[in-house]
Amino acid sequence: MCGIIGYVGKRQALPILIEGLRRLEYRGYDSAGIALSDEQGVSVTKSAGRLSALEQIVDASQPHTSGIGHTRWATHGAPNDVNAHPHQDGAGRFAVIHNGIIENDRALRVYLQRKGVEFTSETDTEVLAQLIAQLYNGDLEDAVRQALHEVSGTYGMAVVCADEPGVIVAARKGSPLIIGVGQGEHLLASDAAAILAHTTQVVYLGDGEMARITADEVRLTTLDAMPVAKDVEEIEWSLDQIELGWHEHFMLKEIVEQPSSLKNCLRGRINLEEGAVRLGGLVDCTRELTRAKRIIIVGCGTAWHAALVGEYLFEELARIPTETEYASEFRYRNPVLDDGTVVISVSQSGETADTIAALTEAKQRGALTLGVVNVVGSTMARETDAGVYLHVGPEIGVASTKAFTGQVTVLALMACYLGRRKHLSSTAAAQFNAALAAVPDHVEKILTAADECKAVAQKYSDRDNWLYLGRGYNYPVALEGALKLKEISYIHAEGLPAAEMKHGPIALITDGMPVVVIATAGSQYEKIINNIQEVRTRGGSVIAIATEGDREISQLAEHVIYVPDTLEPLQPLLTAIPLQLIAYHAAVIRGCNVDKPRNLAKSVTVE
Ligand code: F6R
């Protein structure tokens, strides 16, 4: 979704802003713009469409050492030149970029119109620009503070003013902003990827905080003008993690990275000799957690699928009643929570609006809240009482892949951690941990046999409808496989618990319809073989994901993709990999833009 970059220092701002915007492209956007500021004033250039369109029209001839840039994913108003950010006041003295939504923009617009202000765009952000201009009395920071007191909604915003060259004022409420600290320069971004090429030293702006940023100084205050002291922190991510390198697409890069991303996720967390799990992020709440009467896991999309695997894991290993909920439903459902309930939010970005809202609801009702989050310093990481980071590195591909396996891994670790404090024997925990530690090597093995996945994609990528079936731990994987296929290849796909097929969806099966069945060894193997028979009888083409050594299944399925044997609760970490690869190859074969699928944004920061 929308992205923010800002620079103030001694270097040319324009190339730094353009490069920053390029690194934000993965988030999804439909227009982009830049404001450069100096003693002569503020010059704004913006354009609908790709960043290359902006580059063609921006005037690079004038040197500027400060400015702000934005990629917009339209919410209020069509994705055109006028609605693109930055937005200005009537006199063009101020330029504002903004992520989030100003909820009272209608009322503020009417108020400003009564004062004679004329608007040029349909956006809520222009309201902010016009309001700041009205309130300006020689101090940009003060005008922004006053304006934000009038505003309800969410924002990560930045503003420059012609009267104060070399100054950027930024503020945050519910939409992330970080300040990069360089040598005689500062950067501002909504996402670390935008500034990583320049610095790994950052200050995370908190909700309700503002920053006045110049080349030499960052002054942090609250919205009520109280000074805020913060340490500079180091971002763990490296530049090569956000660059494509020799890979064709970020999605493929992130799929093949999974052996190492999972090793990073597990590093230092399991002790094979003692059969113990160490999760530093849970130490302070272990007592409360162990006494939990109920766990609710919330998330959206892929994170929700990982959460569903988590539900099975918590119930089996820790024997704690667990439910998984769509964050968007939970937040409006008047859920019954008490102080024996623990709510776990699962999220790659840590910024998904619905999941944050669910978390806030849970906190307000007194539940202990935990985060299973990838992005360090993200809103969810800050707002939860405790949590465990995924440590799988930045995920740039819009389709979530390594975050899914990271989320499942962390939930497995948490289930074992809790299980040991309840009913799980040390022998069973040791066995579980040993199997978990072997997962990265198993994933490596699956990736070396990836040709079969490509062959499946080649054979069936022209089919309009696919079905994915799984049982038990592999039911969420069936949902995830179908989501991966539809979001990047635009093929209609449905994922189901296999037994549900007879209750309706079986009517869809026609001759040659691809049906992916996750039929790995385990407690429900015989049942899933029956489901395969049901599909075959109706002419469906079965693509089976099976356990190595299962020769019989090749008699029943058109294609078999083998994964190594592991414990049943850990199978999702293996069975998800071929499904990611099938979706990737199908999308490439169909000529789809794998890393920038239509209508999708990497992090959904609006409701
Ligand atoms: C699908 C996908 C989305 C996200 C969902 C939640 O590939 O990426 O379904 O999983 O938008 O995002 P996070 O995990 O950032 O909360």
Side-chain angles (χ1 to χ4, degrees), residues 300-303 347-349 352 398-400 483-484 487:
C300 303
T302 289
S347 174
Q348 189 287 126
S349 62
T352 302
V398 167
S400 194
L483 177 62
K484 286 287 89 83
E487 69 180 331

Side-chain angles (χ1 to χ4, degrees), residues 321-394:
T322 306
E323 295 146 55
T324 302
E325 289 232 31
Y326 286 113
S328 54
E329 289 298 315
F330 176 87
R331 63 182 292 196
Y332 290 119
R333 200 178 50 78
N334 196 11
V336 179
L337 300 179
D338 55 30
D339 57 9
T341 310
V342 174
V343 174
I344 304 177
S345 60
V346 180
S347 174
Q348 189 287 126
S349 62
E351 302 295 348
T352 302
D354 281 323
T355 315
I356 292 173
L359 197 60
T360 309
E361 184 67 24
K363 276 181 86 161
Q364 277 166 3
R365 290 172 185 239
L368 174 73
T369 56
L370 304 182
V372 172
V373 172
N374 193 33
V375 178
V376 176
S378 57
T379 303
M380 264 179 248
R382 292 171 169 266
E383 295 299 315
T384 39
D385 297 308
V388 184
Y389 281 120
L390 306 186
H391 290 314
V392 296

Side-chain angles (χ1 to χ4, degrees), residues 29 32 45-58 81:
Y29 70 107
T45 315
K46 51 193 191 170
S47 165
R50 308 311 294 173
L51 197 51
S52 48
L54 177 71
E55 281 183 281
Q56 274 170 16
I57 56 171
V58 73
D81 291 357

Side-chain angles (χ1 to χ4, degrees), residues 102-132:
I102 307 295
E103 282 161 5
N104 59 341
D105 78 315
R106 289 280 136 214
L108 290 171
R109 190 175 273 257
V110 170
Y111 163 79
L112 289 164
Q113 278 166 336
R114 285 203 185 116
K115 284 176 153 283
V117 171
E118 286 181 20
F119 285 86
T120 52
S121 79
E122 303 159 69
T123 65
D124 51 343
T125 305
E126 189 186 349
V127 172
L128 203 51
Q130 301 278 15
L131 188 59
I132 291 169

